[in-house]
Amino acid sequence: MICNDSAYFLRHRLSVVSHLASIGVDVTVIAGGYPIPADSIQGWKYIYVPIERFRFDPFGDAALMIRTARTIHAFKPHAVHLVTLKPAIFSGLVSIVSRFFHADPKQVLITLPGLGRMMSPKVPGQRRYPVARTLTLLAFRILSRRDYVHFTFETRHDCEFWADRGIANDGNSSLIDGAGVDPNLFYPLEAPRPRRATKVLFASRLLKSKGLSTFLKVARDLAHRGDVEFVVAGVPEDNDPDAIPHRDLERMTEIRFLGHVRDMPNLLRQCDIVCLPTQYGEGIPRILIEAAATGLASIASSHPGCREAVEDGVTGQILSATSDADMRRELSAAIVGYLENPDLLKQHKQAAYRHFRSRQFDQTAVADRFTELLGVPVSPSSD
């Protein structure tokens, strides 16, 4: 598996690798970002490669291609699983060249968990990437012509986006409901919390495009109320041009900023509502699945991935606004509506948990699906 960011890998893709290792598959992970701690590496091998996530980096991208080629040559993998755009493009092209000359890998699986900033429809003030978009589409057309290359998407919207561009079709792509969560970790409290201030949580990357700036404005708007508390959790990414610096969050008195939280299940069980007014080109946001598994109501933007996780008026509320000002007003009204109608909040929280149980959001179901698409034998350890 090759992923552009180790933090994303640990949050969203570790369960698949752990499952493969547990059934006897020899797995090697190449990831960028911060080096993965040794105590997180259990049953699989790890290679660190710096990957520039925010711009084209000729030397770094060439290094990724070289490391991919060397690892495929040494490892001779049955399958390569590429997660996110950069690995899909650069490691994907290396994989098909290797397959042509050396017959390995037999299977290339490309997982695109959303459109990202580069491929998603543009919003005012957002950067544009015309050259990079053109080259990405060209690379994906080359990849999609190989019958051993398969794509996975998290929403029908994303699948149709790539289908409209001649890349995805019924034969070379599949829909998988997010990365899955572990119901043994994420579950509701058996008894309701003692009645106190309603806790509203933003837990995601600390980016403006994720809706954090809107969330902060609403927290200021409602700071006069004593019946609500606003909580922000997320890993600081101050090198991201879209990030809100963690020092700014630490200085805000209208919110409680927690930074990186290791025990998300416990934090969610202390909250009532999760907010994600995102404009980011993502798949199904994991935090919304975690919220449903924990029995929380969610308020989210009308993003295709959000609509997959939240049933408007049933398990939470979907915000239809597109402008920042309208999003701010809608989010504030949605929160106030819950504060003034606690019975509605209770109904949505209970319905959210039922919704989670009815969908294939379970981590085991997702891992089994990826295992099938990777072509792993039923009993790989016996091969």
Side-chain angles (χ1 to χ4, degrees), residues 189 193 196 199 256 265-272:
L189 286 172
R193 291 187 299 109
R196 53 181 183 270
K199 290 188 178 182
R256 183 158 62 97
N266 184 55
L267 172 61
L268 286 167
R269 282 189 284 271
Q270 296 175 28
C271 297
D272 301 283

Side-chain angles (χ1 to χ4, degrees), residues 115 121 155-162 175 303-305 307-308:
L115 298 179
T155 68
R156 174 63 60 185
H157 171 272
D158 288 358
C159 190
E160 291 174 352
F161 173 91
W162 294 108
L175 283 175
H303 184 282
R307 293 197 301 267
E308 291 287 336

Side-chain angles (χ1 to χ4, degrees), residues 27 36 57 66 71 73 81 107 124 180 271 276 303 306 321 351 356 373:
V27 183
I36 297 176
D57 176 18
I66 292 170
T71 304
H73 179 72
H81 188 180
Q107 180 74 31
C271 297
L276 191 69
H303 184 282
C306 297
F356 170 79
L373 290 174

Side-chain angles (χ1 to χ4, degrees), residues 146-207:
R146 275 64 191 174
D147 59 7
Y148 53 88
V149 175
H150 196 86
F151 296 86
T152 71
F153 308 102
E154 295 187 356
T155 68
R156 174 63 60 185
H157 171 272
D158 288 358
C159 190
E160 291 174 352
F161 173 91
W162 294 108
D164 290 343
R165 286 150 182 82
I167 292 165
N169 56 60
D170 291 341
N172 74 354
S173 62
S174 300
L175 283 175
I176 297 180
D177 285 338
V181 301
D182 186 351
N184 295 314
L185 298 176
F186 293 89
Y187 52 84
L189 286 172
E190 293 185 4
R193 291 187 299 109
R195 182 65 182 158
R196 53 181 183 270
T198 298
K199 290 188 178 182
V200 184
L201 173 67
F202 176 96
S204 185
R205 293 164 63 193
L206 306 176
L207 305 180

Side-chain angles (χ1 to χ4, degrees), residues 8-304:
Y8 173 84
F9 164 75
L10 291 173
R11 288 195 303 268
H12 298 271
R13 305 297 160 183
L14 177 59
S15 60
V16 174
V17 167
S18 297
H19 172 71
L20 291 170
S22 72
I23 61 174
V25 177
D26 188 3
V27 183
T28 295
V29 174
I30 297 176
Y34 294 105
I36 297 176
D39 59 1
S40 297
I41 305 169
Q42 299 181 11
W44 42 276
K45 303 179 184 71
Y46 166 57
I47 298 172
Y48 171 71
V49 176
I51 300 176
E52 172 55 58
R53 294 161 50 204
F54 309 116
R55 60 183 175 84
F56 177 62
D57 176 18
F59 296 106
D61 297 339
L64 173 61
M65 296 178 77
I66 292 170
R67 173 58 75 177
T68 301
R70 288 177 175 173
T71 304
I72 290 176
H73 179 72
F75 191 37
K76 295 180 175 55
H78 167 83
V80 173
H81 188 180
L82 308 173
V83 183
T84 64
L85 278 177
K86 269 211 172 181
I89 296 168
F90 295 106
S91 299
L93 294 175
V94 170
S95 296
I96 64 174
V97 171
S98 176
R99 160 84 178 220
F100 179 79
F101 286 106
H102 306 293
D104 293 310
K106 302 293 187 297
Q107 180 74 31
V108 177
L109 182 63
I110 295 175
T111 292
L112 299 176
L115 298 179
R117 274 171 278 199
M118 184 173 68
M119 302 305 297
S120 59
K122 302 304 169 192
V123 297
Q126 191 173 9
R127 291 177 61 190
R128 298 178 182 273
Y129 309 85
V131 176
R133 283 170 63 96
T134 300
L135 294 176
T136 296
L137 291 172
L138 175 61
F140 276 14
R141 288 193 180 100
I142 294 172
L143 290 164
S144 67
R145 300 299 185 267
R146 275 64 191 174
D147 59 7
Y148 53 88
V149 175
H150 196 86
F151 296 86
T152 71
F153 308 102
E154 295 187 356
T155 68
R156 174 63 60 185
H157 171 272
D158 288 358
C159 190
E160 291 174 352
F161 173 91
W162 294 108
D164 290 343
R165 286 150 182 82
I167 292 165
N169 56 60
D170 291 341
N172 74 354
S173 62
S174 300
L175 283 175
I176 297 180
D177 285 338
V181 301
D182 186 351
N184 295 314
L185 298 176
F186 293 89
Y187 52 84
L189 286 172
E190 293 185 4
R193 291 187 299 109
R195 182 65 182 158
R196 53 181 183 270
T198 298
K199 290 188 178 182
V200 184
L201 173 67
F202 176 96
S204 185
R205 293 164 63 193
L206 306 176
L207 305 180
K208 300 171 188 174
S209 58
K210 287 279 190 174
L212 178 55
S213 56
T214 300
F215 183 85
L216 297 177
K217 291 172 184 175
V218 171
R220 292 191 187 99
D221 294 341
L222 301 180
H224 64 282
R225 298 189 64 126
D227 57 350
V228 62
E229 178 182 358
F230 291 88
V231 182
V232 174
V235 179
E237 294 193 59
D238 294 350
N239 60 329
D240 191 319
D242 188 41
I244 295 179
H246 71 279
R247 292 181 181 84
D248 293 351
L249 298 171
E250 290 169 349
R251 285 194 290 263
M252 289 189 62
T253 58
E254 299 90 349
I255 64 167
R256 183 158 62 97
F257 178 56
L258 304 179
H260 177 45
V261 174
R262 294 188 178 277
D263 190 355
M264 277 301 298
N266 184 55
L267 172 61
L268 286 167
R269 282 189 284 271
Q270 296 175 28
C271 297
D272 301 283
I273 304 166
V274 162
C275 286
L276 191 69
T278 180
Q279 293 181 326
Y280 189 84
E282 54 196 309
I284 301 179
R286 182 182 178 89
I287 184 60
L288 298 181
I289 302 175
E290 293 174 343
T294 318
L296 302 189
S298 294
I299 305 173
S301 60
S302 184
H303 184 282

